[in-house]
Amino acid sequence: MQVINGLLRVCSSLKNEPLIVAQTFELSRGRHNAEQNFVDLLISVCWIGVLRSLLRIISGRIFLGLINQTKENSMSQSLFKEISELRDELHGQRYSLTVIHNYCLYAGQFLAYLEEQAIELRDVTPDLVAESLLHAARQFRKDRGRVPATGWASIPRSGIHALLRSALPAWPPAPPAANEAERLTRETCGQYEKWLRHERGLAEPSITALMWEARHFCKWFIQRQGKANFADLSVRDIDAYMDIRVPGLTRRSVKDVAERLRGFLRHLHRSRLHPDDLSGHVIAPLLYAYEGIPSILTADQIAAVLEFAGEDSSPLGLRDHAILQLLANYGLRSGEVGRLQIEDINWRADTLHVHRSKNHTLANLPLLEPVGEAILRYLRDGRPDTDVRTIFVRSRAPYQAMTAGGLYGVVKRRLGAAGIGLSGKRGPHIFRHARAVSMLRASTPRKIIGDVLGHRSPESTAPYLKLATEDLRAIAIDLPGREVKQ
C-alpha cells in the first residue's frame, strides 16, 4: 500500500510538473507543425491520467481484498467455510463481483449475529431473518448517525437468502403445523399430490393447479368447522365453498374450479376419509363445445412483432426475437420452448428436437432458416456465459432457465412494443392459435396439423377450426329474414 500511495503522489506531482511540459516542447522543438506539438503534449497528459486511474483501481482492489481477508480471519472456521461456499456458488452463477462482495458481506454479518445469539444455521426461521435485519438497521443508525434509506434491507435480505439457499436443503422452510387439523390436512394433501404425480402421471402445471385448489379448500374447511374431520363434510359445505369461490370468475374458470374440486372429493372417498363420493354434487356451468373464440394474431401482426423484435440488437432483444421465431413458425407451447436444450439442435442435419409437454414424446422438426439464424445470433452475441444447457436463460444472474411467466412477459412486452392490442389473452398460446389457422388455410390435413402442434388425437385439433372465422363465412348459409344492421 505504501508503494502504491507513493506512485500516486508521484503521478500527482508529475501532472503539473513544468519539467514534463518543457521536455515535451524540447522533443518537439525541431518540428514545425504547431498542431503536432499540441497533440504530443495532450497524449502525454492523457497517459499520466490513465496511469493514475489504473493505480487507483489496483489500490482499491487490494484494499477490498485486505478488508475481506481481515474479516475472514476473524471468522470461525465454520463461518469461513459457509462464506467460501457461498462465494463459489455465486461465482458459478455468474453474479457480478460487486454483488458477490455485497452478498458475502451481509451473509457474514448474519452469521456473526447467529454466533452471538448461539443459534445454529439449521434452526433459522423467516422471523429470525426479519429480526436480524432490524438489528442491522439499528446498527446502521448507530454507526452512521442516520436512518437507512427506504429499501435498504433488500440487498442484505437477498444476501442472507442466498446463504440459506446454499447451506440448507430447503429454504424457505415450510412452517410447522399449528394444530392437529393442519397436520392432518398436510398429510391428506401430500397423499393426493403423490397420487397425482405417480399414479396419474400428470404434468407439473396440472398438479400445481389441482393442489392449489385442494389446499385452498382444506384451509377454508378448517376455518369453517374448526377441525379437519372430512367425514363431516356435507353437500351444504360444498355449496358454501363454491359461493365464496366463484364471484368474479368467468364461466370457463368456474368450470375449472369445479373439476379440480371434484378430483379432490373423489380422492377423499378413495382414501376412505369420507363414506360417500360427493364429486357429483359440485355444480358447474355447462360449456358448449367451441363456444368461445380465443385471441388470434393475423399474419401482418405476426410480421410486425417479428420485425420490431428483430431491430433490437441487445442481448435481451436477440433472446426475445429467437423465442418469437419459435412460437410463430412452429406454434410450440411455452413449456416446450423453455425446455429446449443446446443439444436439441442438430446444425448439420438442420433439425430441431422438441420434447412435447403433454404426450411426453420427442418430435423431430425441420430447422427453418429464420429460426436457426435467430437462435444462432442469440447463442453467439446475446446468451450469457453460463454452464446451463437450456438455450433460453434469464438476462440477469442467476442465469437459469426461463419460466412460463418469463415467456409470457416476453410476448406481452413485444406485443406492446409493436403497438398490437388484443382484447383477450396475450400469452405465447396466441401464436399457437395463429399457426394452426395458417395451416388450416393452406389446406393442411388435420393429421399433419396435429403432429406439428403435438396433439395426441385428431380430436384435439378440432377446436382450432373455429378460429378460421373468415373461411367459415365463405360456406355460411343465407337464411331468409330481415337484415340486421350493425
Side-chain angles (χ1 to χ4, degrees):
M1 290 297 294
Q2 293 178 355
V3 175
I4 293 174
N5 290 331
L7 290 174
L8 285 174
R9 287 196 296 270
V10 170
C11 290
S12 299
S13 62
L14 289 178
K15 180 180 180 181
N16 298 319
E17 180 62 40
L19 181 61
I20 295 293
V21 178
Q23 288 181 351
T24 303
F25 281 108
E26 183 68 23
L27 291 175
S28 59
R29 182 177 297 175
R31 302 176 184 176
H32 302 286
N33 192 338
E35 294 181 357
Q36 185 65 38
N37 294 339
F38 177 75
V39 170
D40 292 341
L41 175 61
L42 184 61
I43 292 175
S44 300
V45 175
C46 289
W47 272 111
I48 294 174
V50 170
L51 180 60
R52 297 185 68 211
S53 300
L54 289 176
L55 290 175
R56 283 198 184 96
I57 294 173
I58 294 173
S59 62
R61 293 291 183 183
I62 295 176
F63 181 66
L64 288 177
L66 291 175
I67 292 177
N68 293 334
Q69 183 177 1
T70 303
K71 291 181 177 180
E72 291 171 354
N73 290 337
S74 63
M75 291 182 182
S76 64
Q77 190 65 25
S78 60
L79 300 187
F80 175 74
K81 179 182 177 182
E82 298 292 348
I83 295 298
S84 298
E85 292 178 353
L86 174 62
R87 182 181 292 108
D88 293 341
E89 183 173 341
L90 295 176
H91 271 296
Q93 295 177 352
R94 302 299 192 274
Y95 278 91
S96 66
L97 295 178
T98 303
V99 173
I100 294 175
H101 168 73
N102 291 335
Y103 278 16
C104 291
L105 174 64
Y106 291 115
Q109 293 178 359
F110 177 70
L111 290 174
Y113 174 79
L114 294 181
E115 196 172 50
E116 292 176 0
Q117 303 294 326
I119 300 175
E120 295 291 336
L121 190 61
R122 61 175 177 271
D123 298 330
V124 174
T125 62
D127 293 338
L128 184 60
V129 173
E131 183 181 342
S132 70
L133 291 174
L134 292 177
H135 172 77
R138 290 192 296 267
Q139 190 66 33
F140 182 97
R141 182 169 48 188
K142 179 180 179 181
D143 295 341
R144 306 191 184 187
R146 59 182 177 87
V147 179
T150 304
W152 168 85
S154 61
I155 297 179
R157 185 185 297 108
S158 299
I160 294 172
H161 286 179
L163 169 68
L164 296 174
R165 286 193 299 266
S166 172
L168 300 179
W171 180 264
N179 47 48
E180 181 63 21
E182 189 172 346
R183 186 198 64 79
L184 178 60
T185 296
R186 290 187 181 184
E187 181 180 350
T188 303
C189 290
Q191 295 173 354
Y192 182 45
E193 183 176 4
K194 183 179 180 180
W195 181 80
L196 293 174
R197 179 170 281 107
H198 299 292
E199 299 295 333
R200 291 282 310 275
L202 297 181
E204 196 63 32
S206 300
I207 295 176
T208 301
L210 289 166
M211 290 308 304
W212 188 94
E213 198 65 50
R215 293 189 179 100
H216 188 270
F217 175 76
C218 290
K219 181 180 179 180
W220 173 86
F221 184 67
I222 291 176
Q223 293 176 350
R224 178 180 173 88
Q225 300 289 343
K227 56 183 179 179
N229 186 7
F230 292 107
D232 297 336
L233 184 64
S234 64
V235 178
R236 182 174 297 177
D237 294 326
I238 296 175
D239 292 340
Y241 175 75
M242 293 298 291
D243 288 340
I244 62 100
R245 183 72 175 87
V246 301
L249 300 180
T250 62
R251 295 173 63 248
R252 173 74 261 180
S253 297
V254 174
K255 179 78 171 179
D256 293 338
V257 170
E259 291 177 351
R260 295 164 189 164
L261 182 59
R262 287 169 183 167
F264 182 66
L265 294 176
R266 284 191 290 266
H267 171 73
L268 294 179
H269 177 61
R270 184 173 51 252
S271 303
R272 298 182 179 180
L273 296 176
H274 196 280
D276 302 321
D277 183 5
L278 300 179
S279 61
H281 296 278
V282 181
I283 301 176
L286 180 62
L287 299 181
Y288 299 97
Y290 321 137
E291 69 174 57
I293 298 179
S295 302
I296 183 174
L297 293 172
T298 64
D300 294 337
Q301 289 175 329
I302 293 177
V305 172
L306 294 177
E307 180 181 358
F308 273 90
E311 294 175 353
D312 188 353
S313 58
S314 66
L316 185 64
L318 296 178
R319 185 199 67 183
D320 293 354
H321 183 240
I323 291 174
L324 294 175
Q325 286 285 359
L326 284 166
L327 295 173
N329 286 279
Y330 298 107
L332 301 179
R333 302 180 179 93
S334 59
E336 296 168 351
V337 174
R339 284 192 300 270
L340 282 177
Q341 305 289 310
I342 295 179
E343 297 81 7
D344 290 333
I345 300 180
N346 189 335
W347 297 102
R348 295 184 180 275
D350 287 337
T351 56
L352 177 67
H353 307 300
V354 178
H355 300 267
R356 294 300 186 184
S357 298
K358 292 192 174 181
N359 54 15
H360 305 290
T361 59
L362 181 64
N364 295 322
L365 303 176
L367 183 62
L368 303 178
E369 182 177 352
V371 178
E373 290 180 354
I375 295 177
L376 190 59
R377 286 185 61 199
Y378 169 64
L379 294 177
R380 286 179 174 176
D381 305 325
R383 191 173 185 270
D385 183 15
T386 176
D387 297 332
V388 178
R389 303 301 295 174
T390 306
I391 293 180
F392 301 108
V393 296
R394 287 163 40 97
S395 59
R396 298 174 60 183
Y399 299 122
Q400 302 170 347
M402 296 185 64
T403 61
L407 292 170
Y408 181 90
V410 169
V411 174
K412 182 179 179 180
R413 183 173 62 252
R414 294 300 172 177
L415 286 176
I420 298 175
L422 299 175
S423 58
K425 296 181 179 180
R426 56 191 66 191
H429 224 65
I430 60 176
F431 285 92
R432 186 173 175 84
H433 294 158
R435 189 71 185 105
V437 170
S438 66
M439 288 188 288
L440 284 171
R441 290 174 177 170
S443 302
T444 306
R446 285 175 55 181
K447 176 63 171 62
I448 297 179
I449 297 177
D451 292 340
V452 172
L453 299 180
H455 290 155
R456 293 181 178 180
S457 62
E459 286 74 16
S460 300
T461 311
Y464 293 95
L465 292 172
K466 65 183 178 182
L467 299 173
T469 54
E470 298 299 327
D471 303 271
L472 294 176
R473 288 191 179 96
I475 60 174
I477 301 175
D478 293 330
L479 298 177
R482 187 172 56 185
E483 181 181 357
V484 178
K485 295 183 179 179
Q486 297 291 339

